[in-house]
């Protein structure tokens, strides 16, 4: 479990810390803290308990209208402002010294015109474009510029840039643009989100999660791990993963995902991006133990 992280979003929640964190965990991924005092609590706890810090951009709330930086926007002024916001946050993070800083990618999300995206959450219309309005060549060119910029920034500020895959279109799952960039800029790493991948598989008839995990797990710094149950009548989100969650009941095949992740990247970090309050303390502990077993064993129970 030394590679496990929990999340702290909005504030440093002492009750969540007491319930979710275990001695020996790798660290905490923090995002959107409302007050400076929460950052200081995080730093104090990190020193006292010896864990590392990751940041889900931005650490500070209220610095922009949107959480995510629109660094691939068609408008150069929007792209420049996104990079300015990131650099401003990196200046603030010098004292935090995070191991990694995570950004959603691509942003704006490039959506497949053929798919109904009603079940995908966006805070604002500016967060997505359709691939009919955003070419593969444009995606490749602007991504290359972004990767070069993030690589330089990571060396200036001393962190690992992590790109969390958001909704994906054929530019990423049918072409090699992203993989070529990851090889060209090896300082850039990925985050695979199990819930997002499984949700897209259910809403997008052209997408399958497992091949994406197999293709990109080797480039991952961290996995955001949670489960969802997708049925005709409902979608249940942010559940802790447990071995009894069966695909035939609408759950993601987390055991299969973890088996591929173990094969491709046995040292990857696991951030439990779930709502631990949805299960008992005993089931939360079972979640941790089962994931640990899946990552260590070829035949988990």
């Amino acid at each position: 479990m030394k590679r496990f992280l929990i999340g702290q979003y909005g504030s440093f929640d002492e009750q969540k810390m007491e319930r979710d964190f275990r001695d020996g965990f790798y660290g905490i991924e923090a995002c959107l803290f409302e007050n400076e005092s929460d950052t200081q609590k995080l730093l104090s706890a990190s020193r006292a308990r010896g864990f590392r810090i990751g940041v889900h951009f931005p650490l500070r709330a209220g610095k922009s209208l949107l959480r995510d930086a629109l660094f691939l926007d068609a408008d150069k002024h929007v792209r420049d402002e996104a990079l300015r916001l990131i650099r401003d946050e990196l200046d603030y993070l010098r004292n935090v010294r995070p191991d990694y800083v995570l950004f959603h990618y691509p942003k704006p999300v490039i959506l497949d015109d053929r798919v109904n995206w009603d079940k995908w959450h966006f805070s604002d219309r500016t967060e997505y474009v359709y691939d009919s309005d955003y070419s593969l060549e444009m995606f490749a060119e602007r991504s290359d510029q972004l990767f070069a910029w993030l690589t330089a920034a990571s060396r200036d500020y001393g962190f690992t840039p992590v790109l969390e895959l958001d909704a994906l279109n054929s530019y990423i799952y049918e072409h090699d643009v992203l993989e070529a960039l990851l090889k060209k800029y090896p300082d850039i790493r990925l985050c695979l989100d199990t819930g997002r991948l499984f949700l897209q598989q259910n809403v997008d008839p052209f997408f399958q999660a497992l091949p994406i995990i197999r293709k990109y797990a080797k480039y991952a710094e961290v996995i955001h791990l949670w489960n969802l149950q997708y049925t005709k009548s409902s979608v249940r989100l942010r559940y802790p993963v447990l071995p009894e969650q069966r695909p035939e009941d609408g759950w993601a095949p987390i055991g299969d995902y973890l088996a591929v992740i173990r094969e491709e990247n046995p040292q990857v970090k696991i951030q439990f991006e779930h709502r631990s309050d949805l299960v008992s303390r005993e089931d939360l502990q079972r979640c941790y133990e089962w994931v640990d077993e899946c990552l260590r064993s070829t035949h988990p129970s």
Side-chain angles (χ1 to χ4, degrees), residues 160-196:
T160 297
V162 175
L163 300 179
E164 178 179 353
L165 298 182
D166 210 296
L168 306 177
N169 78 341
S170 63
Y171 299 168
I172 288 178
Y173 61 76
E174 290 183 359
H175 296 269
D176 294 326
V177 170
L178 177 56
E179 191 164 26
L181 288 170
L182 292 165
K183 292 176 179 177
K184 181 179 178 180
Y185 300 99
D187 292 347
I188 308 292
R189 304 292 288 169
L190 294 182
C191 170
L192 304 179
D193 183 299
T194 59
R196 285 178 180 273

Side-chain angles (χ1 to χ4, degrees), residues 38-48 53 95-97:
D38 288 301
T39 299
Q40 296 308 313
K41 290 176 183 176
L42 175 67
L43 289 171
S44 295
S46 173
R47 288 190 290 266
I53 296 171
N95 291 329
V96 177
R97 301 177 64 185

Side-chain angles (χ1 to χ4, degrees), residues 25-80:
F25 273 21
Y26 183 86
I28 286 177
E29 185 178 291
C31 180
L32 289 176
F33 281 7
E34 296 283 350
N35 300 300
E36 173 64 24
S37 60
D38 288 301
T39 299
Q40 296 308 313
K41 290 176 183 176
L42 175 67
L43 289 171
S44 295
S46 173
R47 288 190 290 266
R49 301 189 66 168
F51 62 78
R52 310 301 291 269
I53 296 171
V55 166
H56 188 308
F57 179 87
L59 179 59
R60 297 176 296 172
K63 298 300 177 181
S64 64
L65 293 176
L66 298 177
R67 180 194 66 181
D68 296 325
L70 302 180
F71 39 44
L72 297 186
D73 198 88
D75 187 324
K76 184 178 185 302
H77 295 293
V78 175
R79 298 199 304 275
D80 289 346

Side-chain angles (χ1 to χ4, degrees), residues 11 23 51 60 62 86 94 97 118 123 142 154 166 177 193 203 205 215 220 238 262 264-265 295 299:
S11 67
D23 288 336
F51 62 78
R60 297 176 296 172
I86 293 172
R94 284 192 187 275
R97 301 177 64 185
D118 287 349
S123 299
R142 291 185 181 150
S154 72
D166 210 296
V177 170
D193 183 299
V203 303
K215 182 173 184 177
R238 300 289 172 191
R262 183 190 66 244
E264 298 292 339
N265 189 349
L295 293 172
H299 302 288

Side-chain angles (χ1 to χ4, degrees), residues 147-261:
F147 278 49
W149 189 92
L150 283 174
T151 296
S154 72
R155 293 170 182 174
D156 288 344
Y157 290 92
F159 72 97
T160 297
V162 175
L163 300 179
E164 178 179 353
L165 298 182
D166 210 296
L168 306 177
N169 78 341
S170 63
Y171 299 168
I172 288 178
Y173 61 76
E174 290 183 359
H175 296 269
D176 294 326
V177 170
L178 177 56
E179 191 164 26
L181 288 170
L182 292 165
K183 292 176 179 177
K184 181 179 178 180
Y185 300 99
D187 292 347
I188 308 292
R189 304 292 288 169
L190 294 182
C191 170
L192 304 179
D193 183 299
T194 59
R196 285 178 180 273
L197 291 169
F198 185 61
L199 178 60
Q200 182 164 349
Q201 179 171 303
N202 279 277
V203 303
D204 181 351
F206 308 100
F207 179 86
Q208 289 293 314
L210 204 56
I212 287 291
I213 294 171
R214 186 169 294 281
K215 182 173 184 177
Y216 289 113
K218 65 177 69 71
Y219 303 106
E221 181 73 13
V222 62
I223 305 295
H224 280 177
L225 187 65
W226 56 284
N227 208 347
L228 67 84
Q229 187 181 40
Y230 193 100
T231 67
K232 292 181 179 180
S233 59
S234 66
V235 179
R236 302 167 71 189
L237 302 171
R238 300 289 172 191
Y239 267 74
V241 301
L242 291 165
E244 62 267 25
Q245 293 165 342
R246 301 183 304 171
E248 53 265 39
D249 295 327
W251 295 100
I254 295 297
D256 294 343
Y257 293 178
L258 291 174
V260 172
I261 289 165

